[in-house]
Amino acid sequence: LLLEMMAKRRGEKARWRVVILLEAVKALCRLILMRLTNSRPLLNPPLPEREIVEEKPVADEEALSSPTSEKTDFSLAGSERWTMPRTSLTLPPLPSSEDISSYLLSKVLTADDIKPPKALLHRVSGLGEAAEVLYILRPVIYASALAYWSQRADGRGKADWRPWLLGLSIEYGARQLASRDLETRRPGGARGLTQLERDELKKRGWGMAWWSMRGAFYENVTRGVILGAAAKLKGKPILDMVGGFVEDYDFLWDQYYFPTATL
């Protein structure tokens, strides 16, 4: 986005050249990664995220070391405590059965946990490989079409539907090709996918919602709805700030390409 802003100072042609160049470089890097991984689909983000381990507070050890003068029948959680008659020490309460079950279930290993890294992503070929290549090249094709039709003197500029329909058709076609490849080449179809592959497909499905913020659809439909909602929020406490933020981001969505890019 910063490079696009810097190129915009030299004019629209320079800006679109930088956008297309950056998308082409990114697509080339993704194709190289796909080649290095033996035609496996790419993930977003490419590096796996670390699992967040919740730190539980350490139990108070004073309950075991310090004697109690009075016997406590119930703990805060409702479990009975036991005071030993000879030493007068109080044993901590036992955890509830629900806590034990949830703890054991969290430690259960799934099939994906014991698979080697290469088995977490299946190799694609045929229609699946074509779908992945189309998905990678879609940003380059869409940016090139948007640059061409938005700068034509006889066109409608950013409100032209042709680049938007072309880009959406490529992404939807790639998704359909991948689904067909799963049904014909993968045993069990979508049920044979690993959890990592299912998560990636879900991310790509949600990513298609960004088409409502791009190109002609944003100029002709979404922008009017967003600005109308922001206008209604003006003059109202707290909500007026939300309307101001929306109007500020509208400038980025309308004037630049990369704020709504998903790859």
Side-chain angles (χ1 to χ4, degrees):
L1 178 59
L2 179 60
L3 294 176
E4 184 182 1
M5 289 181 173
M6 295 172 60
K8 188 177 177 63
R9 297 180 179 180
R10 300 183 179 181
E12 285 296 312
K13 289 186 178 181
R15 180 174 77 91
W16 282 117
R17 287 173 185 170
V18 170
V19 169
I20 295 173
L21 177 62
L22 291 176
E23 289 291 9
V25 171
K26 288 166 31 178
L28 178 62
C29 293
R30 292 189 181 97
L31 291 174
I32 293 175
L33 283 176
M34 186 177 173
R35 177 66 178 175
L36 293 176
T37 56
N38 295 325
S39 298
R40 285 181 171 84
L42 302 182
L43 300 178
N44 187 24
L47 296 178
E49 299 179 354
R50 295 175 61 91
E51 295 183 359
I52 301 177
V53 180
E54 297 182 359
E55 295 184 0
K56 296 183 179 180
V58 182
D60 191 8
E61 298 179 355
E62 294 181 358
L64 294 176
S65 58
S66 60
T68 55
S69 57
E70 297 180 0
K71 179 180 179 179
T72 305
D73 294 331
F74 295 94
S75 67
L76 298 176
S79 301
E80 294 185 0
R81 288 183 177 178
W82 175 256
T83 303
M84 293 181 286
R86 186 173 62 86
T87 60
S88 298
L89 297 178
T90 302
L91 295 177
L94 294 175
S96 64
S97 59
E98 296 179 357
D99 295 338
I100 296 176
S101 299
S102 61
Y103 175 78
L104 293 177
L105 288 175
S106 65
K107 299 301 180 182
V108 173
L109 295 178
T110 63
D112 292 344
D113 294 330
I114 59 177
K115 286 183 179 179
K118 291 183 178 180
L120 295 177
L121 286 174
H122 295 88
R123 297 177 60 180
V124 292
S125 60
L127 292 179
E129 188 172 7
E132 191 67 19
V133 172
L134 272 179
Y135 182 77
I136 293 173
L137 295 179
R138 190 271 307 162
V140 183
I141 299 174
Y142 172 67
S144 302
L146 191 61
Y148 174 75
W149 273 302
S150 64
Q151 296 182 80
R152 290 187 60 178
D154 57 344
R156 298 181 56 193
K158 292 180 292 185
D160 198 322
W161 283 97
R162 286 173 289 185
W164 188 85
L165 291 174
L166 177 62
L168 180 62
S169 300
I170 293 174
E171 185 161 350
Y172 182 76
R175 189 172 180 84
Q176 291 300 109
L177 286 177
S179 300
R180 187 175 179 182
D181 181 70
L182 284 176
E183 295 174 358
T184 56
R185 298 176 63 89
R186 189 73 58 83
R191 291 176 298 179
L193 296 176
T194 63
Q195 184 63 40
L196 193 62
E197 291 172 326
R198 285 194 293 267
D199 292 342
E200 179 62 22
L201 285 179
K202 188 181 297 183
K203 288 180 182 178
R204 294 186 182 187
W206 282 107
M208 292 192 68
W210 277 103
W211 284 103
S212 62
M213 301 296 295
R214 297 188 186 126
F217 196 93
Y218 180 77
E219 291 292 328
N220 299 319
V221 181
T222 312
R223 189 181 186 189
V225 175
I226 290 178
L227 293 181
K232 292 181 181 180
L233 296 179
K234 287 186 176 181
K236 298 180 180 179
I238 301 178
L239 296 179
D240 185 44
M241 298 177 59
V242 178
F245 287 136
V246 171
E247 290 181 347
D248 292 340
Y249 275 98
D250 171 71
F251 175 77
L252 293 177
W253 297 329
D254 181 54
Q255 297 295 326
Y256 296 98
Y257 168 85
F258 282 109
T260 57
T262 53
L263 279 180

